[in-house]
């Protein structure tokens, strides 16, 4: 009995030392990254703080004189986020099915779908926005295309993860009843994962609304385009006003998305 207790204590000590070593390695990597990017350059940081306060002083008070002209860009931003998210969700459902191990028709299809999703996630939406602006011109359309394609990489991945973790009992019951593979997916898997899919879609819409404000800075329309225009001519009081408007819209979107999540759950 005493020997068994000693073995357990020794195993616990080894596990503790291993965790401490892993934590030390992670901390060393983080500190190394901080040093590499210049976070410990106190002289440079000290020089930047007065400039930051000076810029903040130039932004006060906010200038809402052109507020009426921002209504249309705000609607463009909202429409971009909704349209881009809708495209992503519609295309992510079949891609999620193909990218899940338990529903992919063949391992090669599974690997191809996963590779496609990895590629879409690897390209930032800003880069996609620049490409689509060059392809179809300025406006909300390139922003919608960029947000939609980039969102597919994340949304379909989460859909696939939810499908892989679905309870297999309804699936086996559907197969035992003679259902086709499509019927098994529709009646045995999708009803289980619809709440997770809805949560993912709502969270992605929140993200896309914030991202759509940035997309305007590369010419993809929306309130971000107005923000970039004010920055270029150094109208900092107008910049602060636009930032406050964006903050208000983000707050409204977050509140509404929280309401939607409560309704779906």
């Amino acid at each position: 009995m005493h020997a068994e207790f000693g073995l357990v204590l020794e195993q616990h000590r080894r596990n503790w030392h291993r965790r401490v070593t892993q934590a030390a390695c992670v901390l060393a990597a983080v500190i190394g990254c901080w040093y590499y990017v210049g976070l410990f350059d106190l002289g440079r940081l000290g020089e930047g703080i007065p400039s930051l306060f000076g810029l903040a002083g130039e932004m006060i008070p906010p200038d809402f004189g052109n507020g009426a002209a921002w209504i249309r860009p705000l609607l463009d931003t909202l429409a971009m986020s909704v349209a881009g998210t809708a495209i992503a969700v519609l295309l992510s459902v079949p891609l999620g099915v193909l990218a899940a191990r338990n529903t992919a028709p063949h391992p090669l299809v599974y690997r191809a779908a996963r590779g496609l999703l990895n590629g879409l996630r690897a390209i930032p939406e800003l880069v996609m926005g620049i490409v689509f602006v060059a392809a179809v011109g300025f406006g909300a359309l390139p922003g919608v295309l960029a947000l939609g394609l980039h969102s597919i990489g994340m949304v379909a991945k989460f859909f696939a993860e939810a499908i892989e973790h679905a309870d297999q009992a309804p699936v086996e019951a559907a197969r035992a009843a003679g259902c086709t593979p499509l019927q098994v997916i529709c009646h045995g898997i999708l009803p289980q994962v619809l709440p997770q899919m809805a949560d993912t879609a709502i969270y992605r819409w929140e993200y896309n609304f914030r991202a759509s404000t940035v997309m305007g800075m590369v010419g993809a329309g929306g309130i971000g385009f107005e923000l970039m225009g004010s920055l270029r001519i150094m109208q900092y009081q107008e910049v602060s006003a636009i930032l406050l408007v964006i903050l208000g819209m983000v707050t409204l979107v977050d509140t509404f998305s929280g309401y939607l999540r409560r309704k779906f759950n």
Side-chain angles (χ1 to χ4, degrees):
M1 184 70 178
H2 181 74
E4 292 179 359
F5 178 76
L7 290 174
V8 171
L9 186 61
E10 180 65 22
Q11 183 65 31
H12 178 75
R13 187 181 295 111
R14 290 177 181 176
N15 290 338
W16 186 83
H17 283 301
R18 184 171 65 251
R19 293 191 186 99
V20 169
T21 302
Q22 292 171 348
C25 292
V26 172
L27 181 60
V30 170
I31 293 175
C33 292
W34 285 349
Y35 177 80
Y36 180 78
V37 300
L39 197 59
F40 295 133
D41 190 351
L42 299 180
R44 185 177 179 184
L45 291 174
E47 293 175 0
I49 291 175
S51 300
L52 184 62
F53 279 107
L55 181 60
E58 294 180 25
M59 299 174 73
I60 299 173
D63 181 11
F64 291 93
N66 293 326
W70 302 336
I71 296 176
R72 177 64 181 274
L74 276 173
L75 293 177
D76 289 346
T77 299
L78 182 61
M80 285 166 57
S81 65
V82 173
T85 305
I87 291 174
V89 171
L90 290 175
L91 295 180
S92 293
V93 173
L95 280 174
V97 171
L98 296 177
R101 291 182 185 273
N102 55 336
T103 54
H106 192 274
L108 290 178
V109 175
Y110 165 79
R111 294 191 183 93
R114 286 284 178 164
L116 175 61
L117 300 184
N118 290 338
L120 292 174
R121 287 197 307 276
I123 305 174
E125 63 263 25
L126 275 179
V127 175
M128 288 188 178
I130 293 172
V131 171
F132 283 118
V133 165
V136 301
F138 295 100
L141 179 59
V144 170
L145 296 175
L147 290 174
L149 285 180
H150 184 265
S151 297
I152 290 171
M154 188 277 285
V155 175
K157 181 178 184 295
F158 277 94
F159 284 4
E161 296 292 337
I163 291 172
E164 287 183 347
H165 290 88
D167 185 8
Q168 292 302 303
V171 177
E172 296 299 331
R175 287 173 178 165
C179 293
T180 64
L182 181 59
Q183 290 173 330
V184 170
I185 293 172
C186 293
H187 300 291
I189 295 178
L190 288 183
Q192 298 184 60
V193 300
L194 280 178
Q196 295 99 309
M197 287 182 170
D199 276 344
T200 300
I202 293 170
Y203 277 120
R204 191 63 193 187
W205 174 53
E206 292 179 22
Y207 173 86
N208 280 343
F209 181 81
R210 298 181 181 89
S212 62
T213 63
V214 181
M215 294 297 298
M217 296 185 178
V218 297
I223 192 65
F225 190 79
E226 302 294 324
L227 178 62
M228 196 62 186
S230 298
L231 279 171
R232 284 174 179 166
I233 60 177
M234 293 183 288
Q235 294 289 340
Y236 295 122
Q237 292 179 334
E238 193 169 277
V239 168
S240 65
I242 295 175
L243 289 176
L244 288 175
V245 170
I246 293 174
L247 175 61
M249 284 296 297
V250 168
T251 303
L252 289 176
V253 168
D254 286 347
T255 302
F256 183 63
S257 65
Y259 168 77
L260 289 178
R261 280 193 296 273
R262 289 192 298 271
K263 294 291 288 185
F264 280 111
N265 292 330

